[in-house]
Amino acid sequence: MSFSMKTKNELAREFPESDHCQLAELSALIRMSGTIQLLGSQKVNIQIVTENAAIARKIFSLCKKRFHIHTEIRIRKSRLLKKNNHYMIFISNEAGATDVLKEVGILKEEDGHRFIDLSIPSEYIREQCCKRAYLRGAFLGAGSISDPEKTYHLEFVTSSREHGEDLKDLINEFGLNAKIVQRKNNYVVYLKEGDQIVDLLNII
């Protein structure tokens, strides 16, 4: 098991007690590793994919506790040698996918028009505890960390530049010096200083 996987397993056991922190963490998880399926007639499904069973269980628990819905977990077996299975958490339109997207601040409406907003909702990160929960969800969703015995590197990968800039700014609110770089079609928010990586892990 990689150092990154061990770190995520430990973080997946950290369960936020308050409703607002649960919402902040789930909001980050969906933004980082979720896919919205458009069905027409303003209907949508949500699919969140992870290679980590502990993270899949956490998303299931957060949805059940925060939204009182039972999500479906599908396991896709890898056909490649030594490749991890993929766990797909599926929230159907019938189960309330639209309401979930609205609640986490991704699906918004203005003047009768719906649009997707991937920026971090300011109202969900007003408290320090919620900021920590959001960063934890972002790391669980699409973060990685190198083995500190080899090199110092921690990163978050997001497909949205706006979300990446917000994520960088949120990290730096804690006195850190995260930076952002474009890598193909994604944006990578990263830290390379060992002491700052330790600080961020303590934060989340």
Side-chain angles (χ1 to χ4, degrees), residues 63-90:
C63 288
K64 182 179 179 182
K65 195 170 182 66
R66 186 65 185 78
F67 298 109
H68 310 291
I69 59 174
H70 288 273
T71 58
E72 179 184 349
I73 299 182
R74 303 170 180 175
I75 303 175
R76 186 169 66 203
K77 300 283 186 180
S78 175
R79 297 178 181 177
L80 299 176
L81 186 64
K82 294 184 179 179
K83 289 289 184 180
N84 295 323
N85 293 329
H86 285 77
Y87 300 88
M88 292 174 284
I89 299 90
F90 185 77

Side-chain angles (χ1 to χ4, degrees), residues 25-201:
E25 188 162 348
L26 190 57
S27 176
L29 279 160
I30 294 175
R31 277 175 171 77
M32 295 297 271
S33 56
T35 301
I36 301 170
Q37 300 173 340
L38 303 176
L39 306 177
S41 301
Q42 296 191 334
K43 295 180 180 179
V44 297
N45 294 333
I46 305 170
Q47 183 172 279
I48 311 167
V49 180
T50 178
E51 293 183 356
N52 189 305
I55 297 173
R57 287 193 295 270
K58 183 170 196 176
I59 295 169
F60 180 90
S61 297
L62 283 169
C63 288
K64 182 179 179 182
K65 195 170 182 66
R66 186 65 185 78
F67 298 109
H68 310 291
I69 59 174
H70 288 273
T71 58
E72 179 184 349
I73 299 182
R74 303 170 180 175
I75 303 175
R76 186 169 66 203
K77 300 283 186 180
S78 175
R79 297 178 181 177
L80 299 176
L81 186 64
K82 294 184 179 179
K83 289 289 184 180
N84 295 323
N85 293 329
H86 285 77
Y87 300 88
M88 292 174 284
I89 299 90
F90 185 77
I91 306 173
S92 68
N93 184 74
E94 292 73 21
T98 299
D99 291 336
V100 171
L101 290 175
K102 287 181 179 178
E103 192 72 17
V104 299
I106 292 177
L107 184 61
K108 295 186 176 179
E109 291 187 11
E110 280 185 10
D111 301 324
H113 297 286
R114 286 184 171 186
F115 64 96
I116 300 298
D117 185 358
L118 294 178
S119 63
I120 300 178
S122 59
E123 64 269 27
Y124 296 162
I125 53 168
R126 288 180 179 144
E127 305 293 333
Q128 288 293 98
C129 56
C130 296
K131 293 176 181 179
R132 294 155 68 108
Y134 192 94
L135 289 174
R136 182 168 57 245
F139 183 78
L140 290 173
S144 64
I145 182 172
S146 61
D147 188 333
E149 292 185 0
K150 298 176 181 178
T151 185
Y152 294 120
H153 187 81
L154 182 148
E155 68 179 33
F156 303 77
V157 181
T158 178
S159 60
S160 163
R161 182 180 186 90
E162 184 178 17
H163 185 242
E165 292 286 354
D166 284 353
L167 197 57
K168 179 194 66 147
D169 292 342
L170 181 57
I171 292 169
N172 291 344
E173 282 187 30
F174 289 91
L176 303 178
N177 187 30
K179 296 180 181 178
I180 187 170
V181 65
Q182 185 171 1
R183 184 189 296 162
K184 295 184 179 179
N185 295 325
N186 291 317
Y187 297 89
V188 181
V189 180
Y190 66 92
L191 290 169
K192 281 188 172 294
E193 298 292 330
D195 56 344
Q196 295 209 6
I197 291 172
V198 170
D199 288 343
L200 181 60
L201 291 177

